[in-house]
Amino acid sequence: MLTLTGPVAREQATGLGDAVFALLAGEETGVVVCDVAGIGPPGLAAVELLARLQLAARRAGGRIRLRAPDPALRALLDLVGIPVEVEGEAEEGEPALGVEVEVEPGEASL
């Protein structure tokens, strides 16, 4: 897990990108969880940092997943078109945990 704290500075991206590579090297799931609860007020520096971390993860064959993002940070990421996963949310196309899919009578359940 990578814990990000604020205030966010542009210079952090290089060192944290290297940390993402290192974490993915030891991770079988291909996911690095980034705790962003302490990142501070969301702004373009935070968006740029997360975009660079996502890019570094994708280059290493993985992705990042955010833990405890501020709703304003999520809105800002959505606004600029940076897709990120959030811990505890179902992935796109997957039903949420505990949701049962209804089947027709006579069909086998999954």
Side-chain angles (χ1 to χ4, degrees):
M1 181 171 68
L2 190 62
T3 302
L4 304 176
T5 57
V8 175
R10 183 176 221 173
E11 299 79 34
Q12 289 176 284
T14 303
L16 291 172
D18 293 340
V20 167
F21 277 117
L23 288 169
L24 281 171
E27 189 64 46
E28 291 182 19
T29 63
V31 176
V32 173
V33 175
C34 296
D35 186 342
V36 294
I39 205 167
L44 293 180
V47 168
E48 181 180 3
L49 175 63
L50 292 171
R52 289 178 180 268
L53 293 181
Q54 182 75 290
L55 180 61
R58 289 191 187 273
R59 286 181 176 162
R63 62 188 187 279
I64 65 170
R65 182 177 295 146
L66 303 183
R67 175 180 286 170
D70 183 276
L73 178 60
R74 299 252 343 252
L76 195 52
L77 290 168
D78 286 342
L79 180 67
V80 296
I82 298 173
V84 292
E85 295 178 19
V86 176
E87 195 171 61
E89 289 185 357
E91 292 184 33
E92 192 171 318
E94 294 290 323
L97 293 177
V99 174
E100 293 183 24
V101 178
E102 188 175 316
V103 295
E104 295 293 323
E107 290 184 6
S109 62
L110 301 175

